[in-house]
Amino acid sequence: MPVLDREPSRDSGGGDGLPKLPLPALKDTLDMYLSCMKHLLTEEQFNKTQNVVKQFGAPGGVGELLQSKLMERRENKANWVYEYWMNDMYLNNRLALPVNSSPVMVFPLQHFRAPIDSLRFAAHMISGVLEYKTLLDSRSLPVDYARGQLAGTPLCMEQYYRLFTSYRLPGTERDTLVAQESSVMPEPEHIIVACKNQFFVLDVVINFRRLNERDLLTQLDKITRMADSKEEHLPPIGLLTSDGRTEWAQARSELMRESTNRDALDMIERCMCLVCLDDPSGPELSDTTRAMLMLHGGGVAKNGGNRWYDKPMQFVVGADGCCGVVCEHSAFEGIVLVQCTEYLLKYMIGSPSKLVRAASVSELPAPRRLRWKCSPEIHQLLASSADKLQRQVKNLDMNVYKFCDYGKEFIKKQKMSPDAYIQVALQLAFYRCHSRPVSTYESASIRRFKQGRVDNIRSATLEALTFVKAMTDGKLHTSDTEKMEMLRDAITAQTKYTILSITGMAIDNHLLGLRELAHELKMEKPEIFQDEAFLVSNQFILSTSQVPTTVEMFCCYGPVVPNGYGACYNPQSDHIIFSVSSFLDSPQTCSAEFVKCLVQGLMDIGDLCNKCNSSSNTTQKKQGQTLETHTQTETNWQSKTPQRPADKTETQQSLPQFVLKTPDQTKVEAQTQTPSLAETRALKNGSKS
């Protein structure tokens, strides 16, 4: 039997009153592991794996010993997998943060008429950040409650309290997530403003008074003038944070030799967040271009050095209207990023810009430029970091596509879960592109439990494979009715696995715990974790996540393996935004081709539903709403965001773009729908040469 706490209690959201993460029964996990992998392996591989798994789970064997130790660990820890998961997912990872790890949120394109407009936007946003931080500091943020399956369950809120108080410190072998403890009398709070690759300290509290928006604008204006001074320009030290983690740790050690650098690093590491005032990046600012610029800054020639990737929150305000947030992912999940950014954007819409002089701090001290002393070695390391970032920029194959034929309302009318439906469509797209199924990762929140982060929904189910084969193999002569039955089976299988994941009963965290415990006990690595099937199971060639928003914006990230895809999606009532990424140097992947297959798959599945369900499409929407998605998005923020009364005219004048503008998809649609497979590959190969 699985081990779990039966009586969840409620608390203010920190997590103390929530149940502990359950520990699934060993047999359940091993059986499910085999069923997840059988159709992804050759018969020979599977037979070998079956024997290895049987041996691992045998009575009195290694598996039972490790399971008993995990049960002890569960008794003694708030969350038995948290530390293992954090190290495995993030802190042990040596890859550079941009593209490989840090997700971004891309705002609608802003239309700034003059340079001062972008600074007004930044000042207004900082004002919103300070409001939100006040909610966090006073622990006044409303508790999130689960939606969808098991709706109404309170969720752990711990991740929110790391938004503005943590820092990812690079290490030569493993990074450290440093969380600052708040004190009764904190030092004057500050943010760091990056402008033209220079870093400035902007105190937001002076003489115990928080700066108002007019003062923030004044200070930002001073910073841009200071940044323009060519004589005082210092090397773009931020580039070092874009390097591999071991390389950055070594560079940081070199920087720390000088007291000037130690002081500068301390100010950055203790700041609330970064605001990156970016220079214009170029004429074409489609969704795809803005996504790429947000992920890597456009490299050395653009804004790649105008970042500090170790900070959890970097708010980017481009002079050309390219705006968004870059997030260091180890501190919190995408849903926390969504909730925070939605609060800010709604604050900016609902609270007209207050550029009045009242209650101003007189004689504002000038912001301070951070100084750096650079040895010849630091200059060499900077050149190396710049070169590697440039390679990242050239290698990213990004495609943002707005699918407008239907959205989640149509899917609900079919009495299907929108998330499960889209996951099956992603399986169909991959199979159309590559004629095979692969291990697929979909984030599932386990915030129902104390210190809960995520587990994996394994979307590459046997039922999904059966359906996609029927949709792609003309020789099978499967009827539409049979295909519809297969689709329903695939969606049911996906939904069942989702429920297992969000209730802490999926396999990935459990297998990770068993593997890490064996390592901790200095045991020889059990054969199950050396077996080829285990390697295949953890090669997530398709890495997916649903990140829905109630404000017009979208999330994206890079692939997690060199030959894989990152596929983030945002289902809206009448459209779905997809952000698909891959690497150009992989001959096996092509984002435009994947998007083309995805669009075709969504159209085909929609047609199938229309053919088979035309008679039942008039049934009430409510029947479909019970399966509303329950993965990363588990809260209804709209119902509890503090709304500020504001005259509608004022609102539109203060921030018209959030009310009126929607992303322009024309260029992206033309780009993704027109090329044939042969043309696309030829184009891709040409771009590499």
Side-chain angles (χ1 to χ4, degrees), residues 46 80 143 152 238 339 343 427 540 568 647:
F46 182 72
W80 61 266
V143 177
Q339 306 289 55
Y343 176 93
Q427 290 298 311
F540 294 113
C568 192
D647 179 76

Side-chain angles (χ1 to χ4, degrees), residues 24-219:
L26 181 64
K27 185 179 185 308
D28 291 350
T29 290
L30 296 181
D31 288 349
M32 201 183 305
Y33 172 58
L34 289 173
S35 70
C36 285
M37 295 309 298
K38 185 172 184 180
H39 54 287
L40 302 180
L41 302 170
T42 64
E43 192 176 344
E44 187 183 346
Q45 284 174 324
F46 182 72
N47 288 339
K48 185 192 169 204
T49 298
Q50 215 171 8
N51 291 329
V52 168
V53 168
K54 188 177 178 182
Q55 186 185 348
F56 181 77
V62 176
E64 284 196 355
L65 169 67
L66 293 172
Q67 178 77 353
S68 67
K69 294 288 184 186
L70 265 189
M71 288 166 79
E72 287 173 24
R73 181 181 172 86
R74 185 181 180 276
E75 289 302 311
N76 299 325
K77 296 266 187 186
N79 184 308
W80 61 266
V81 82
Y82 178 81
E83 194 181 321
Y84 291 157
W85 177 89
M86 177 67 81
N87 289 336
D88 184 69
M89 182 70 86
Y90 297 115
L91 304 183
N92 290 340
N93 195 331
R94 302 291 80 204
L95 292 175
L97 297 185
V99 180
N100 300 305
S101 177
S102 296
V104 301
M105 194 63 73
V106 184
F107 293 171
L109 182 61
Q110 302 301 298
H111 298 279
F112 301 135
R113 288 183 291 275
I116 196 71
D117 289 346
S118 64
L119 298 186
R120 281 199 186 100
F121 181 93
H124 201 176
M125 187 159 62
I126 292 168
S127 212
V129 168
L130 298 178
E131 287 279 316
Y132 194 71
K133 191 165 186 300
T134 302
L135 281 178
L136 291 172
D137 290 346
S138 61
R139 296 265 160 169
S140 303
L141 201 64
V143 177
D144 291 341
Y145 287 89
R147 296 172 64 195
Q149 297 289 339
L150 313 181
T153 314
L155 304 177
C156 181
M157 299 292 285
E158 281 190 14
Q159 295 175 40
Y160 286 96
Y161 301 104
R162 291 195 284 266
L163 276 165
F164 302 110
T165 60
S166 60
Y167 182 80
R168 181 160 165 177
L169 189 68
T172 50
E173 292 181 6
R174 174 187 289 170
D175 290 0
T176 306
L177 182 61
V178 180
Q180 299 161 14
E181 296 297 324
S182 59
S183 55
V184 180
M185 289 289 285
E187 293 178 52
E189 293 178 273
H190 68 279
I191 64 174
I192 295 291
V193 178
C195 185
K196 297 189 185 301
N197 300 337
Q198 310 293 290
F199 296 96
F200 301 86
V201 179
L202 170 56
D203 290 314
V204 292
V205 177
I206 297 176
N207 298 333
F208 304 102
R209 188 197 298 272
R210 200 174 93 187
L211 296 199
N212 64 29
E213 212 170 298
R214 165 71 69 179
D215 291 329
L216 290 169
L217 178 59
T218 300
Q219 297 294 70

Side-chain angles (χ1 to χ4, degrees), residues 196-199 229-237 369-374 379 382:
K196 297 189 185 301
N197 300 337
Q198 310 293 290
F199 296 96
S229 169
K230 295 284 190 288
E231 307 82 63
E232 293 204 68
H233 262 212
L234 295 159
I237 297 294
R369 184 193 301 262
L370 292 182
R371 303 282 171 184
W372 306 100
K373 281 192 179 174
C374 295
H379 283 288
L382 273 169

Side-chain angles (χ1 to χ4, degrees), residues 410-483:
F410 168 81
I411 301 169
K412 286 186 202 173
K413 284 179 182 175
Q414 315 309 313
K415 305 178 200 169
M416 294 173 184
S417 151
D419 184 69
Y421 182 103
I422 294 167
Q423 283 292 328
V424 172
L426 287 165
Q427 290 298 311
L428 177 56
F430 190 92
Y431 196 86
R432 275 215 166 109
C433 274
H434 302 284
S435 305
R436 67 188 179 106
V438 286
S439 289
T440 303
Y441 186 99
E442 183 194 359
S443 307
S445 172
I446 48 172
R447 284 175 58 214
R448 287 170 167 74
F449 306 103
K450 205 178 294 187
Q451 292 183 4
R453 291 293 297 265
V454 297
D455 205 341
N456 175 22
I457 303 167
R458 289 191 164 265
S459 307
T461 62
L462 176 61
E463 291 83 354
L465 179 59
T466 304
F467 170 69
V468 303
K469 280 182 173 175
M471 292 294 282
T472 54
D473 190 345
K475 295 174 190 171
L476 290 177
H477 302 301
T478 316
S479 71
D480 286 342
T481 308
E482 289 170 316
K483 285 177 186 172

Side-chain angles (χ1 to χ4, degrees), residues 509-527:
N509 281 349
H510 192 190
L511 290 171
L512 171 67
L514 294 165
R515 187 192 79 189
E516 290 303 297
L517 200 54
H519 178 70
E520 217 170 76
L521 296 171
K522 296 184 168 53
M523 294 169 61
E524 185 183 341
K525 188 188 270 191
E527 195 181 350

Side-chain angles (χ1 to χ4, degrees), residues 321-347:
C322 181
C323 302
V325 190
V326 184
C327 139
E328 197 293 291
H329 209 346
S330 66
F332 46 82
E333 300 311 324
I335 186 58
V336 173
L337 174 66
V338 170
Q339 306 289 55
C340 175
T341 49
E342 292 208 337
Y343 176 93
L344 294 178
L345 297 191
K346 288 172 184 176
Y347 168 88

